[in-house]
Amino acid sequence: MLLKLENVSKTYSAEVPVSVLSDVCMELTAQGIAAIVGPSGSGKSTLLNTIGALTGVDAGTIQFKENDISLLNPEQMAQYRNQDIGFVFQQHFLLPQMSLLENALMPTLAFHQKVNADELRQRAIKLLDRVGLIKRQDHRPGQCSGGECQRAAVVRALINSPELILADEPTGSLDQASAENLTELLLELNQEEGVAFIIVTHSSDLVKKIDDKYSLVNGSLGRI
Amino acid sequence: MFRFSRYLVNSLKYYWRTNLGVLAGAAIATAVLVGALISGDSVKFSLLELSMKRLGTTEYALESDHHLFRATLAEEIAELSDSDISSLLHVSGTLQQSSTNRLSHIQVYGIDEQFQKFLKAEDFPDLRESNHVAVSQRVAELMGLDIGDDMILKVEKNLVIPLETPVATKDDRTVSIYIEIGAILSDEQLGRFSLLSNQFVPNNLFIKQEYLAGKIEAQNLANILICKSWSETSLEKLNSALTQTVKLQDLALELRKVPDTQQYEVISSNVFINESVRSSLVESSMQTQEVLSYFVNEITSGSKSVPYSFVTGISSGNELNLNDQEIVLNDWAAGELGAVPGDSVHLKYYIQNPGNKLIEKSRSFLLKAVVPISGFAADRSLMPNFPGLGDAETCGEWNPGIPIDLDKIQTRDEDYWETYRGTPKAFVSLLAAQDMWANKFGRTTGLRMSGNGLTHKELNEKLLELLAPQKLGLKFEPVLQTAIAATQGGLDFGQLFIGLSFFIIVAANLLTGLLFVFNAEQRRSETGQLLALGYLPKQIRKLRLWEGLTLAVAGGLIGVFLGVQYSRFIIFGLGTFWRDAVGFSDFQIHLQPLRLVIGLVVGVAVSFISIFLVVRKQTARGAGKSRLSSLPKLKKWDRFRKYHLVMLVVFIMAASGILLKHQPDQAQAVAKYYSAASLMLITGIYACYVGMREILYLNRLKRFNTVNLVLRNWSRRAGRNLTTISLLAVGVFIVISVGLNHQDPTLNSAKASSGTGGFELFVETTMPILDELTTLPAFAEKYPNVEIVQFRKKVGDDGSCLNLNMVQQPQILGVVTDGLENRFTFSKTISGFGDGSGWDLLNFDWGPGVVPAIADMSVIQWGLGLGLGDTLYYVDDRGVDLKLVVVGGIANSVFQGNMIIAEHNFSRYFPSTDGTQVLLVDTPNLEVDRIALERELTDYGPEIQRCGERLIAFSAVENTYLSIFLMLGGFGLLIGTVGLGVVLLRNILEDRQEIAVLQAMGFKPGSVFKLILSEQILTLIIGLLIGAIAAIISILPVLSHSDPSEMMRLLILVVAGMLVNGIFWSAMAIRFAFKEEIAETLNGE
């Protein structure tokens, strides 16, 4: 089992505490792909953030390859985010001063890499080529379309060969055509790269193409 | 009920961290303003307190520089003016306890019983014995004296007649008095009594007037009156009382009846009659006959001669009726000479040159007649009462101020003296006599008048009507009022410290503005919500400004408290480690509520303006954009990059060219280094700009690593980083280049063109030196290679930068300009008068009552607030207004504090000032000659100072101010670097999504921290480096003659302090920013 969530709960403290996740349980196998749908404010993004160790949980456990990520120290958490998982957000969050290639390579600077820089560069170029951006590799985000940027963000998420990619409404800010392209790409990469995906989405087209579907309503996760 | 005030309070509470910063900025700005204002007031107050201490309860004073008056004048005026008046007999002296324990420039005051009344609270100690004296604490401290110690006090005597009076004896000028220290006076006991407007502590000694007067042969005489009114005694009333009570004697005059005639004669105790008196009487309706009698060395005719005789010149109106070539002999002289009318008769006589050197002159006359010794020719009273002659019973007792060859005196001469005394042996016309013997003291020795039937008393009264004392310079002056004006009109320390603290004020306001805008940016979403709720932008701006005003007022109130502490610090500094700037330490804090209010209002206003400007700018700009969406446009750069690179090279070459250019002139050399440094500063900032653009432009992934990432990030924010770099560089450059640009006045001090004029020693004597030292054979023999230029001195205000009071009438020095030719450097001279050396300007004739003067440029500009061509007003010895026109300014010289005029003008307008009291000595054998000179001049009470040391003392003032500027400026820069932290906080706020993404990618918080901090450190280092390099270039001339290690230490201290402080606050800012949850940032929640 790649990922296992057991009774994960999270409450935001306020004058009136807001329960966002309530006894959430979920499993994902290696190279698996799961889609999570739900209305706005249902806690989808929070769920991804807890899985990505961007925020902690109040109760329950999240095990990644049978390791409880809540037990990791901050450095181990950073390494987990850098090596084991990748993020794709609704906004691409590419750095405007960097080319697409450089943006793709950004995660490689965070930790010492086992492979050398040239190999990483080749991998980045290969991935960019794979997503159809080879001619755009030296362009900056400002010179590219939203779809291109989002594809570059996917390459950035893949650069360190993670086993899981967390995609938070990746097509949310794209036009119809770009969204379809990206959907196809993610599914293909799931197969080609052997990387598991958890995709939070409102896109019914995307959901249709994924077998493992979950619905998050009022903090409770259930299979569809 | 929800009110706007609730929103205000809640907002202030919720954003307390940043609001605290805004508050601190406002508090610091107000504190600096309040502190500076209080310091200014405190200095003025302290100076006023000092003035009160030096004056006691004195309100008015009458000082007579050139003659003595009756001490009883005090009582007489007091009776008429409802006031207490004390008469003082003031002389200069030296105090000696042993051969090594000696103190010059002792101000000796002979005091009467009334003096006690001029103390404010305490009693003047009772001096039981006549020879008991009271000395000031300063004198006691300097000499290590205690009550009961015996001393020798050496003072001037024979004050009645000016020492330089021709023919009068020069001997017996001083008297030594054995005294015992009876009391040591505190300041409250008038220990620092002085009528001069400055803060310097005089070396005072008080002695019973009667005793002193007896010793210096000035019985019942005084030369100062001090007055304290009982009620509203006005100056006019006092001077009117003076006019009513003054007698001819008080004006150094005497009215006597000419024996055996109906004539009266006015004579002067000074021998020669003051020119004002002469002209007043001659121009009156009194039909005055002028007489000028002089002691000649020899009357010769043919081969025969008569030695040492009086000859009289008399104006027309007598039976002689001589023209200017004719002479009349009495029958005794004619007999001795064997001369008959028609013979040629020669007179030999001495005149004195300005250096008191006697020059023998002669003049030939045609003998018109021989008259018997009878009638007017037998008038003994024609002989003036020359000291050393008038009282002599025999020729052997003669002791005039000219050499007498006793071998020439024969029995016949003794007999004549015994029979006729100084009865003139010859008569010439008045014009001829005045042509030969008129001098600076006057052109007559007697003024005769018929009296027109008036009695002696009536004539006396008439004369007093004609000779009002005020016209002769004898009048009361409002010394208290003058002192108050001087303390208030001097250097304004309030303004000075506002100027010196300028960087702190700017930095504090910058901080206020930055923190406030940071606060506002933090609340951008709140602003959006308010807009969504229907608020107008101007309403939101108003809300923010109300918050700002509340913070500014609260900060201002705290600032007032801090300002008081800051002023305490300044005052403490001025009294201790900055003492060189002010020369005294008796400062007291003086708090004026109005000043606190002014400081508060100005401080709050300045802070609020800072807030207003940033709020206006921010609301005008709208909500800021995230950095993720922006990147500088590089298309233009692509087109012009080559030109920029060429420009950069041109800049560097231009700066190098200026540096390498040889510049012999010191002032221009300083300008050269400043120009090169400024250009280097601009070049450095420009190079940064080019570098940033190039980094972005060369956007190729050659080596993609963390350094590259830092550089990219740094370059991307070119505008903000360049602004930060520029501010840092300019700040460091100004603070260091100005603060460390200490003058070394000893540089090239051996050169004649320097501030020393090439002289080694500056000597000031207590007693005047009458002789031109280098022309004295004995002196010239001992010191063959010593060159001395002597100056006459008219005591006045110290016009140097050491005097904190307003300078009104600086001390005047009179000099024969020949000795100064090609010495010193003139900063400026007036054009159109004279030529050649600037000193020649002093010899140009500006007409009567106008005298050209030269002074140190700093005195002209800062001490007097004047420029070339401006006029200073004095009153000369005759009581007539005298204008000193500033015709030249010398660059930083030993003359600071003085106005220099030509000797002939000095003698003309201040004839009663005896001898010279300031000497400039040029010697090749400094140490040996210094000691020898001190010994040689012991009788004159010398105070010998190396010219270089004197310049150092003056430059210490400026250098101390520079040090203060360096310290306060450095502090301002430190506050400025706190502002860097705030700027960084704003940057992080804008970049928080980017930071969150980096963390989401797996960057450790520490790595991101380092990444951001590195960018900031890069900005800091580059800014500091550019500023420091430019500053070093600007101070290269100073480094070459000062201890470079000391300078570099200070420079490193400032730069390192700013770097460490900048890093600290940047780190704090990053830590603060990192508290935000990554997830929240990414989700925008």
Side-chain angles (χ1 to χ4, degrees):
Chain A
M1 192 63 60
L2 181 67
L3 181 73
K4 186 176 181 184
L5 277 72
E6 284 183 331
N7 304 321
V8 170
S9 297
K10 179 149 180 89
T11 303
Y12 285 124
S13 56
E15 283 184 25
V16 180
V18 180
S19 174
V20 187
L21 300 175
S22 177
D23 290 326
V24 171
C25 296
M26 181 186 176
E27 289 184 350
L28 184 71
T29 56
Q31 300 178 41
I33 182 162
I36 300 172
V37 295
S40 291
S42 59
K44 302 186 296 294
S45 295
T46 304
L47 180 60
L48 281 200
N49 290 338
T50 57
I51 296 168
L54 291 177
T55 188
V57 296
D58 298 332
T61 57
I62 300 171
Q63 290 185 346
F64 184 80
K65 293 201 310 196
E66 298 181 354
N67 291 317
D68 186 348
I69 63 168
S70 65
L71 299 178
L72 300 177
N73 63 30
E75 184 164 345
Q76 288 167 330
M77 278 189 186
Q79 193 165 10
Y80 161 68
R81 285 196 296 268
N82 186 251
Q83 304 289 323
D84 298 325
I85 63 170
F87 276 101
V88 178
F89 301 101
Q90 185 175 358
Q91 304 293 326
H92 57 76
F93 292 143
L94 294 180
L95 305 184
Q97 73 271 34
M98 306 292 182
S99 66
L100 297 189
L101 178 57
E102 289 164 349
N103 266 295
L105 283 165
M106 275 302 292
T108 65
L109 295 176
F111 274 88
H112 179 68
Q113 303 295 318
K114 288 169 190 167
V115 288
N116 65 39
D118 278 344
E119 285 178 47
L120 286 168
R121 190 163 185 268
Q122 288 310 314
R123 176 170 164 72
I125 291 170
K126 189 181 153 197
L127 284 168
L128 286 170
D129 190 20
R130 169 66 192 82
V131 300
L133 293 174
I134 190 66
K135 289 181 181 170
R136 294 282 197 173
Q137 62 171 317
D138 288 330
H139 287 69
R140 291 192 203 91
Q143 298 164 320
C144 301
S145 69
E148 286 171 331
C149 288
Q150 197 64 318
R151 275 187 275 154
V154 172
V155 174
R156 183 177 64 185
L158 287 168
I159 190 70
N160 280 339
S161 305
E163 292 181 67
L164 172 64
I165 285 183
L166 304 171
D168 190 357
E169 297 188 39
T171 60
S173 60
L174 301 178
D175 58 57
Q176 182 71 27
S178 299
E180 283 174 10
N181 283 340
L182 188 70
T183 302
E184 291 303 319
L185 178 65
L186 292 178
L187 296 175
E188 285 166 20
L189 287 171
N190 171 242
Q191 296 302 314
E192 291 169 17
E193 296 287 321
V195 60
F197 275 86
I198 297 178
I199 303 172
V200 166
T201 183
H202 288 296
S203 167
S204 52
D205 289 344
L206 179 56
V207 172
K208 280 179 198 164
K209 292 173 183 171
I210 297 170
D211 297 332
D212 203 3
K213 304 179 187 84
Y214 293 89
S215 167
L216 188 63
V217 181
N218 292 330
S220 296
L221 189 72
R223 277 186 185 274
I224 305 172
Chain B
M1 200 168 97
F2 185 76
R3 284 175 187 275
F4 168 66
S5 58
R6 180 77 180 273
Y7 169 80
L8 189 72
V9 171
N10 283 357
S11 298
L12 290 172
K13 276 163 65 181
Y14 186 77
Y15 296 103
W16 67 271
R17 284 187 188 87
T18 45
N19 285 341
L20 203 63
V22 176
L23 199 79
I28 292 170
T30 309
V32 168
L33 285 166
V34 169
L37 289 173
I38 296 174
S39 302
D41 287 345
S42 299
V43 170
K44 280 182 184 169
F45 176 76
S46 304
L47 288 175
L48 192 61
E49 283 286 291
L50 280 185
S51 294
M52 297 302 110
K53 280 179 182 171
R54 70 176 173 81
L55 290 174
T57 57
T58 308
E59 291 172 62
Y60 305 100
L62 179 153
E63 276 185 284
S64 172
D65 291 338
H66 38 280
H67 55 75
L68 301 173
F69 47 76
R70 291 170 301 123
T72 51
L73 199 56
E75 293 165 34
E76 294 165 15
I77 298 171
E79 268 181 37
L80 291 176
S81 60
D82 296 338
S83 54
D84 287 322
I85 298 180
S86 169
S87 66
L88 306 174
L89 182 56
H90 174 225
V91 287
S92 297
T94 57
L95 204 51
Q96 186 171 353
Q97 191 176 39
S98 64
S99 59
T100 52
N101 193 10
R102 193 165 44 211
L103 190 62
S104 305
H105 294 100
I106 301 289
Q107 303 304 312
V108 182
Y109 292 97
I111 54 171
D112 62 10
E113 299 289 329
Q114 297 293 313
F115 190 70
Q116 157 72 36
K117 293 179 180 172
F118 289 81
L119 275 67
K120 276 192 170 157
E122 299 195 25
D123 291 336
F124 196 82
D126 181 27
L127 301 173
R128 283 174 288 115
E129 303 293 331
S130 297
N131 70 333
H132 279 192
V133 301
V135 293
S136 63
Q137 265 173 346
R138 178 184 159 86
V139 171
E141 280 167 17
L142 287 174
M143 298 191 75
L145 301 181
D146 216 339
I147 291 171
D149 285 354
D150 293 322
M151 313 281 295
I152 296 173
L153 173 67
K154 195 172 185 179
V155 292
E156 304 163 276
K157 62 179 281 196
N158 289 329
L159 302 175
V160 176
I161 296 176
L163 290 168
E164 289 181 328
T165 304
V167 186
T169 182
K170 310 289 185 284
D171 294 343
D172 209 17
R173 298 169 45 204
T174 58
V175 61
S176 294
I177 308 170
Y178 291 89
I179 55 162
E180 184 181 320
I181 305 299
I184 294 169
L185 299 174
S186 66
D187 288 350
E188 285 67 33
Q189 290 173 303
L190 286 183
R192 59 193 310 162
F193 176 79
S194 170
L195 296 175
L196 290 175
S197 288
N198 61 47
Q199 76 276 15
F200 308 123
V201 190
N203 298 336
N204 281 347
L205 182 147
F206 297 87
I207 187 169
K208 284 185 177 173
Q209 191 180 106
E210 205 180 318
Y211 184 70
L212 175 68
K215 291 288 181 186
I216 66 169
E217 297 175 15
Q219 284 88 349
N220 303 317
L221 296 174
N223 48 10
I224 292 176
L225 295 178
I226 55 175
C227 171
K228 175 179 83 167
S229 61
W230 295 342
S231 52
E232 291 296 308
T233 302
S234 67
L235 188 63
E236 288 70 27
K237 192 173 179 183
L238 268 176
N239 281 322
S240 164
L242 170 69
T243 307
Q244 291 174 55
T245 52
V246 77
K247 293 183 176 173
L248 286 177
Q249 182 188 346
D250 301 318
L251 305 174
L253 298 172
E254 182 189 340
L255 178 68
R256 68 180 181 184
K257 183 121 185 16
V258 181
D260 305 325
T261 69
Q262 294 305 309
Q263 278 192 312
Y264 288 93
E265 185 181 34
V266 174
I267 57 170
S268 171
S269 55
N270 294 345
V271 178
F272 291 92
I273 293 173
N274 178 312
E275 190 55 21
S276 285
V277 174
R278 188 198 71 83
S279 56
S280 294
L281 296 188
V282 169
E283 288 161 16
S284 73
S285 58
M286 296 183 76
Q287 294 176 334
T288 312
Q289 189 178 36
E290 297 176 65
V291 174
L292 174 58
S293 296
Y294 202 75
F295 190 65
V296 301
N297 303 342
E298 202 170 56
I299 305 172
T300 59
S301 181
S303 58
K304 293 182 177 176
S305 65
V306 172
Y308 309 119
S309 311
F310 275 96
V311 176
T312 294
I314 195 160
S315 59
S316 55
N318 58 67
E319 59 264 43
L320 293 174
N321 201 19
L322 297 169
N323 69 30
D324 299 344
Q325 283 76 44
E326 293 171 334
I327 191 168
V328 167
L329 293 174
N330 69 12
D331 53 4
W332 184 93
E336 292 297 324
L337 294 169
V340 293
D343 283 354
S344 183
V345 175
H346 311 282
L347 298 181
K348 282 185 180 172
Y349 54 91
Y350 279 124
I351 59 159
Q352 283 176 200
N353 76 351
N356 209 34
K357 193 177 173 187
L358 292 170
I359 300 166
E360 191 174 56
K361 297 223 167 185
S362 68
R363 181 159 170 164
S364 299
F365 293 90
L366 186 69
L367 182 60
K368 183 182 181 185
V370 174
V371 293
I373 308 177
S374 63
F376 79 91
D379 186 355
R380 288 186 185 193
S381 66
L382 287 170
M383 182 192 92
N385 188 20
F386 282 109
L389 287 175
D391 302 334
E393 291 294 325
T394 65
C395 296
E397 290 176 16
W398 285 353
N399 182 26
I402 57 172
I404 296 288
D405 185 355
L406 290 174
D407 291 343
K408 286 186 177 174
I409 300 170
Q410 298 170 16
T411 311
R412 53 169 189 170
D413 302 311
E414 288 278 11
D415 291 344
Y416 185 89
W417 185 261
E418 193 177 336
T419 312
Y420 304 111
R421 288 292 164 94
T423 306
K425 292 172 186 166
F427 298 89
V428 293
S429 72
L430 179 71
L431 278 177
Q434 288 179 335
D435 191 39
M436 289 185 285
W437 308 313
N439 55 68
K440 64 179 185 177
F441 297 103
R443 46 203 305 119
T444 51
T445 51
L447 292 165
R448 297 190 167 195
M449 56 207 76
S450 66
N452 292 330
L454 296 174
T455 63
H456 184 279
K457 191 183 171 192
E458 287 167 339
L459 190 57
N460 196 68
E461 284 170 3
K462 189 169 182 184
L463 285 172
L464 283 171
E465 272 176 35
L466 284 168
L467 303 170
Q470 287 82 355
K471 281 189 193 170
L472 302 176
L474 203 63
K475 60 183 173 187
F476 281 94
E477 298 286 355
V479 287
L480 176 62
Q481 197 182 322
T482 307
I484 293 169
T487 56
Q488 301 305 304
L491 178 65
D492 189 329
F493 272 75
Q495 285 180 14
L496 178 73
F497 269 89
I498 286 175
L500 292 172
S501 314
F502 177 73
F503 269 80
I504 300 181
I505 297 171
V506 170
N509 282 302
L510 204 65
L511 192 65
T512 304
L514 284 172
L515 280 163
F516 198 79
V517 80
F518 170 70
N519 187 0
E521 280 182 4
Q522 264 189 319
R523 298 162 67 181
R524 196 181 295 154
S525 62
E526 180 186 318
T527 305
Q529 285 165 36
L530 290 172
L531 286 168
L533 287 173
Y535 279 81
L536 292 170
K538 68 177 182 184
Q539 286 175 305
I540 298 168
R541 185 160 64 222
K542 202 171 159 187
L543 289 173
R544 297 285 177 266
L545 288 177
W546 269 111
E547 282 184 39
L549 184 62
T550 309
L551 289 170
V553 170
L557 289 168
I558 296 168
V560 170
F561 170 76
L562 294 176
V564 175
Q565 310 312 315
Y566 179 55
S567 67
R568 284 187 204 284
F569 167 75
I570 291 174
I571 292 299
F572 175 75
L574 287 174
T576 51
F577 44 86
W578 295 330
R579 197 176 187 279
D580 280 348
V582 290
F584 84 117
S585 57
D586 299 338
F587 287 110
Q588 297 171 51
I589 285 283
H590 181 61
L591 292 177
Q592 285 195 73
L594 182 64
R595 286 293 193 180
L596 300 182
V597 173
I598 291 172
L600 173 67
V601 170
V602 176
V604 168
V606 170
S607 302
F608 183 67
I609 288 168
S610 305
I611 289 169
F612 175 78
L613 291 175
V614 295
V615 167
R616 194 180 64 168
K617 188 179 172 189
Q618 204 201 28
T619 47
R621 195 178 57 185
K625 291 178 181 173
S626 166
R627 208 165 60 146
L628 282 166
S629 63
S630 66
L631 192 69
K633 301 275 185 299
L634 291 168
K635 280 183 184 168
K636 278 188 182 174
W637 181 253
D638 185 26
R639 204 181 309 157
F640 295 113
R641 60 186 291 254
K642 282 177 192 164
Y643 300 110
H644 282 292
L645 292 173
V646 170
M647 280 288 288
L648 193 59
V649 174
V650 170
F651 268 54
I652 293 168
M653 284 174 69
S656 310
I658 294 172
L659 264 183
L660 294 173
K661 191 182 172 193
H662 178 64
Q663 193 58 264
D665 182 84
Q666 199 185 340
Q668 287 179 346
V670 170
K672 175 188 94 171
Y673 282 102
Y674 260 99
S675 306
S678 305
L679 198 56
M680 212 48 125
L681 184 83
I682 296 166
T683 307
I685 295 167
Y686 184 49
C688 272
Y689 169 73
V690 173
M692 285 171 169
R693 290 296 185 217
E694 277 296 289
I695 287 170
L696 283 184
Y697 179 77
L698 300 171
N699 189 34
R700 295 185 199 102
L701 192 64
K702 286 173 187 166
R703 285 184 64 209
F704 187 66
N705 52 28
T706 315
V707 175
N708 196 304
L709 186 63
V710 170
L711 285 173
R712 293 282 186 84
N713 278 341
W714 179 71
S715 309
R716 184 170 46 132
R717 214 190 312 269
R720 201 172 285 182
N721 281 341
L722 211 57
T723 306
T724 308
I725 285 169
S726 305
L727 283 173
L728 275 173
V730 172
V732 168
F733 171 64
I734 292 175
V735 169
I736 293 177
S737 63
V738 174
L740 285 186
N741 202 4
H742 285 197
Q743 297 296 313
D744 182 0
T746 56
L747 186 70
N748 299 324
S749 63
K751 288 187 181 171
S753 59
S754 73
T756 64
F759 292 100
E760 296 287 349
L761 300 173
F762 188 94
V763 184
E764 275 193 281
T765 61
T766 310
M767 320 282 185
I769 300 169
L770 299 184
D771 301 306
E772 197 176 328
L773 291 173
T774 48
T775 61
L776 296 177
F779 192 92
E781 196 178 313
K782 271 193 209 168
Y783 310 102
N785 299 316
V786 172
E787 198 176 326
I788 297 179
V789 177
Q790 292 174 246
F791 296 78
R792 291 179 180 275
K793 183 173 91 175
K794 169 78 179 165
V795 176
D797 299 337
D798 180 349
S800 76
C801 52
L802 297 169
N803 188 2
L804 300 179
N805 293 276
M806 186 174 71
V807 181
Q808 288 158 325
Q809 292 185 330
Q811 181 162 281
I812 301 175
L813 299 180
V815 65
V816 178
T817 55
D818 299 353
L820 297 177
E821 208 166 302
N822 298 322
R823 290 182 183 271
F824 300 96
T825 299
F826 280 83
S827 297
K828 280 182 184 172
T829 50
I830 202 164
S831 55
F833 301 93
D835 51 20
S837 156
W839 293 107
D840 286 345
L841 291 169
L842 293 185
N843 299 317
F844 191 85
D845 188 3
W846 284 66
V850 186
V851 171
I854 285 171
D856 200 276
M857 202 62 212
S858 60
V859 175
I860 299 169
Q861 272 184 315
W862 310 117
L864 301 168
L866 298 178
L868 291 190
D870 286 344
T871 304
L872 272 171
Y873 295 89
Y874 288 80
V875 175
D876 70 10
D877 279 359
R878 299 168 302 164
V880 177
D881 287 340
L882 177 68
K883 293 175 185 171
L884 258 62
V885 180
V886 182
V887 294
I890 322 165
N892 290 328
S893 76
V894 288
F895 292 123
Q896 255 205 47
N898 301 286
M899 301 298 296
I900 305 162
I901 63 173
E903 203 279 343
H904 65 268
N905 278 327
F906 191 102
S907 294
R908 181 176 172 192
Y909 293 104
F910 305 107
S912 57
T913 303
D914 287 320
T916 56
Q917 285 182 280
V918 173
L919 287 75
L920 282 175
V921 183
D922 189 359
T923 166
N925 201 0
L926 176 65
E927 289 311 320
V928 174
D929 284 344
R930 179 179 181 153
I931 296 164
L933 204 61
E934 192 158 15
R935 198 169 45 238
E936 201 76 43
L937 298 174
T938 299
D939 285 348
Y940 299 101
E943 197 174 282
I944 300 179
Q945 193 181 18
R946 285 190 69 162
C947 287
E949 288 168 6
R950 187 173 166 84
L951 286 181
I952 287 171
F954 292 137
S955 65
V957 176
E958 186 182 324
N959 288 342
T960 306
Y961 285 133
L962 292 178
S963 297
I964 296 171
F965 177 77
L966 180 66
M967 202 193 97
L968 299 181
F971 184 57
L973 291 179
L974 286 183
I975 296 173
T977 50
V978 178
L980 284 186
V982 182
V983 171
L984 181 61
L985 213 52
R986 282 182 65 194
N987 293 346
I988 295 170
L989 197 69
E990 287 177 7
D991 295 346
R992 59 189 186 278
Q993 286 183 329
E994 180 181 323
I995 293 164
V997 170
L998 288 172
Q999 286 184 271
M1001 282 179 206
F1003 276 83
K1004 287 176 280 184
S1007 302
V1008 182
F1009 184 96
K1010 280 182 200 162
L1011 209 64
I1012 301 167
L1013 192 61
S1014 302
E1015 190 184 332
Q1016 189 73 353
I1017 291 173
L1018 187 66
T1019 304
L1020 266 170
I1021 288 176
I1022 290 177
L1024 292 174
L1025 211 59
I1026 292 172
I1029 289 170
I1032 289 171
I1033 292 171
S1034 72
I1035 59 170
L1036 275 179
V1038 183
L1039 283 174
S1040 65
H1041 60 72
S1042 302
D1043 178 8
S1045 60
E1046 174 68 19
M1047 295 249 173
M1048 294 314 286
R1049 255 203 304 276
L1050 274 169
L1051 192 146
I1052 290 167
L1053 191 73
V1054 171
V1055 173
M1058 288 180 66
L1059 185 64
V1060 170
N1061 196 50
I1063 292 173
F1064 173 78
W1065 288 104
S1066 299
M1068 291 292 284
I1070 299 170
R1071 280 183 66 88
F1072 178 76
F1074 269 48
K1075 284 185 176 171
E1076 197 164 1
E1077 285 273 332
I1078 309 168
E1080 286 172 13
T1081 308
L1082 290 171
N1083 297 333
E1085 289 170 8

